[in-house]
Amino acid sequence: KAGVTQTPRYLIKTRGQQVTLSCSPISGHRSVSWYQQTPGQGLQFLFEYFSETQRNKGNFPGRFSGRQFSNSRSEMNVSTLELGDSALYLCASRFLRDQRTDTQYFGPGTRLTVL
Amino acid sequence: QKEVEQDPGPLSVPEGAIVSLNCTYSNSAFQYFMWYRQYSRKGPELLMYTYSSGNKEDGRFTAQVDKSSKYISLFIRDSQPSDSATYLCALQTSGSARQLTFGSGTQLTVLP
């Protein structure tokens, strides 16, 4: 079974621009979560989508948004980029059926650099 | 105070050593405990998953959970250079808001 895929893998943008990242979950997984990873703050939860609805949100400003499509693929958008948005953005998927077994599986991440 | 505290490292050990990685937490609502391994420039990879106090073994890896002390550990026996990575503990509550809360990660280097 193919793992979680993320595109693009690397991205360079300038301040003020916006960016859209894409995530395809493991086949059959209906939940997609997004995380930001930086050396200073570590891995921080952004939001989770399930059946095209945001079911949970972390403590990030409104510039960070996302959506999920009917095929469970998800996109994350960051508007008005700031230097501090430079990070590895990770997507994780899970089936979300049994809380004792529905662990999250991560993709390789998109490394965003804001200049 | 962070909800999850992890020994920051970095940790450097010789090949064959036993490695102990630890996290403490403050929120009693955490019911599920995971360890992820992350190689440089890769996404985290799930190593161990437990939901009760006690030990769980998988090959050279043993995860230990002590809910009364709010303390979790990962032991690596006979460590190999290929174990060199960052190890992250991740904790999860039960209920509808089941997001993962990660420790800051411990960078491990196993020297040949």
Side-chain angles (χ1 to χ4, degrees):
Chain A
K1 187 181 279 192
V4 178
T5 58
Q6 292 186 246
T7 56
R9 292 293 312 279
Y10 301 92
L11 207 49
I12 300 175
K13 292 285 187 179
T14 56
R15 278 181 298 175
Q17 287 186 308
Q18 75 167 16
V19 66
T20 299
L21 313 180
S22 181
C23 171
S24 292
I26 291 171
S27 177
H29 285 191
R30 299 185 294 168
S31 160
V32 173
S33 295
W34 288 90
Y35 294 82
Q36 181 195 65
Q37 187 175 31
T38 60
Q41 299 297 319
L43 257 164
Q44 294 185 287
F45 172 75
L46 280 156
F47 29 67
E48 179 181 18
Y49 285 86
F50 174 75
S51 293
E52 302 178 63
T53 301
Q54 188 180 91
R55 66 188 300 270
N56 208 353
K57 188 177 189 303
N59 189 26
F60 276 81
R63 299 186 297 108
F64 293 82
S65 63
R67 60 177 176 168
Q68 187 180 34
F69 302 95
S70 58
N71 61 359
S72 294
R73 191 177 69 84
S74 176
E75 287 182 348
M76 190 193 100
N77 184 274
V78 187
S79 63
T80 319
L81 284 166
E82 300 176 359
L83 294 178
D85 297 333
S86 294
L88 181 67
Y89 289 89
L90 292 158
C91 167
S93 77
R94 56 180 172 172
F95 189 83
L96 207 63
R97 176 183 57 191
D98 182 341
Q99 65 186 25
R100 291 190 297 176
T101 60
D102 63 343
T103 54
Q104 295 195 20
Y105 296 88
F106 284 83
T110 294
R111 184 163 296 280
L112 171 65
T113 301
V114 182
L115 302 176
Chain B
Q1 184 187 3
K2 290 185 176 181
E3 280 191 292
V4 180
E5 299 279 358
Q6 183 171 1
D7 290 348
L11 190 59
S12 184
V13 301
E15 184 175 353
I18 296 174
V19 176
S20 171
L21 305 167
N22 309 293
C23 287
T24 58
Y25 62 97
S26 55
N27 187 352
S28 298
F30 288 128
Q31 298 293 319
Y32 305 96
F33 309 92
M34 285 142 274
W35 285 94
Y36 284 83
R37 176 175 62 194
Q38 186 174 23
Y39 291 112
S40 180
R41 301 194 173 276
K42 302 281 189 182
E45 167 195 15
L46 181 66
L47 271 179
M48 300 287 283
Y49 177 91
T50 59
Y51 54 86
S52 60
S53 284
N55 292 354
K56 179 177 180 180
E57 191 173 316
D58 184 1
R60 297 183 296 109
F61 299 91
T62 299
Q64 189 175 81
V65 175
D66 182 346
K67 286 186 177 181
S68 62
S69 300
K70 298 187 179 66
Y71 190 87
I72 64 173
S73 299
L74 177 71
F75 298 95
I76 308 173
R77 291 185 301 281
D78 187 25
S79 56
Q80 303 294 310
S82 59
D83 295 328
S84 298
T86 297
Y87 290 80
L88 299 138
C89 62
L91 289 70
Q92 183 175 294
T93 61
S94 59
S96 60
R98 289 176 284 153
Q99 65 188 65
L100 289 176
T101 301
F102 284 86
S104 55
T106 300
Q107 186 176 349
L108 171 67
T109 300
V110 180
L111 302 170

